[in-house]
Amino acid sequence: MTRAVPEVAVAARDEPGTEWLASGMERIEPPAVLHMTHAERLLASASDLLHRAGSVRMATDMRKGTQRVRTDMRIDREGNCVGGFDGGPGNRGTLVVLAGPEPEAYMRFSETALAELQTMADGRGATVSARVRDRIGQMRGKYVKARSGPKGAEALAKGCAVPRLIGAGEDEWKGARELAPVRRDGRRVIPLVPGPDEGTEGVAYVDAGGKPYLRSLRAKEAGMTADLRFSAYGAPVTVRRPAASDVVEFADEGSMFAL
């Protein structure tokens, strides 16, 4: 007995555009995410959560040679940030950065930092001591506006743009491997390390339960080590330009404390 061809099949075969549709369907490929390893998907998700967050708290500890800089910043989605910084004696206080095509940065040095500066200046002779004492008098309780440009406000703004740059390219998580979960800072997290062919040293820790929020990132590159910690995803944060009456600006800001 000859079987009848179903009417729906005949209609589809004769329908205008069927050939075009069939050609298009033939070229469909599975989404790239299906080809990722579990570790790669975790890093991709962690990066996405970080980029989508309205704000995040980022604490950093960076070392290169004898230099060490630590910061603890609240950063919003646009890259505006506010928080504390500690770059060693004479370089501690509060930082405010306003992102944009021409970023602005303001630093208020702590009393401890000002005292350290004066002590260093006193050891350089009367002239230097007097000059620094005058500057400190103008700065006490005020914000110093950083000069514009790549060695001033732009450099400070780059530090606050870090959360938006992590995982910006897919290559950053290719070949990633996951290790057994551990407890770190009171959380159960999964360590993720670069693939064997990446040639970089580092480890990222993402939450082991629920959404894989990035909690910390450690890296070593070109003689520099960096330890970044992330928390307070989405917590309210407001970054404002200091009032004009609270700001001082020096024409030679880049060398105003040269001792």
Side-chain angles (χ1 to χ4, degrees), residues 63-116:
R63 304 185 189 209
K64 186 172 185 179
T66 59
Q67 294 182 321
R68 183 182 186 185
V69 178
R70 289 172 289 180
T71 66
D72 189 350
M73 310 298 294
R74 301 276 184 157
I75 307 171
D76 68 18
R77 187 177 308 188
E78 286 71 40
N80 303 302
C81 66
V82 59
F85 68 93
D86 185 347
N91 196 18
R92 320 175 201 265
T94 301
L95 173 66
V96 176
V97 173
L98 301 174
E102 296 183 7
E104 300 174 33
Y106 302 85
M107 297 169 288
R108 183 173 63 190
F109 292 85
S110 68
E111 285 296 325
T112 298
L114 296 179
E116 292 168 339

Side-chain angles (χ1 to χ4, degrees), residues 14 19 55 100 105 111 116 128 194 196 202 204 212 224 231-232 248:
D14 295 335
E19 183 177 343
S55 65
E111 285 296 325
E116 292 168 339
V128 173
M224 183 185 75
S231 60
V248 292

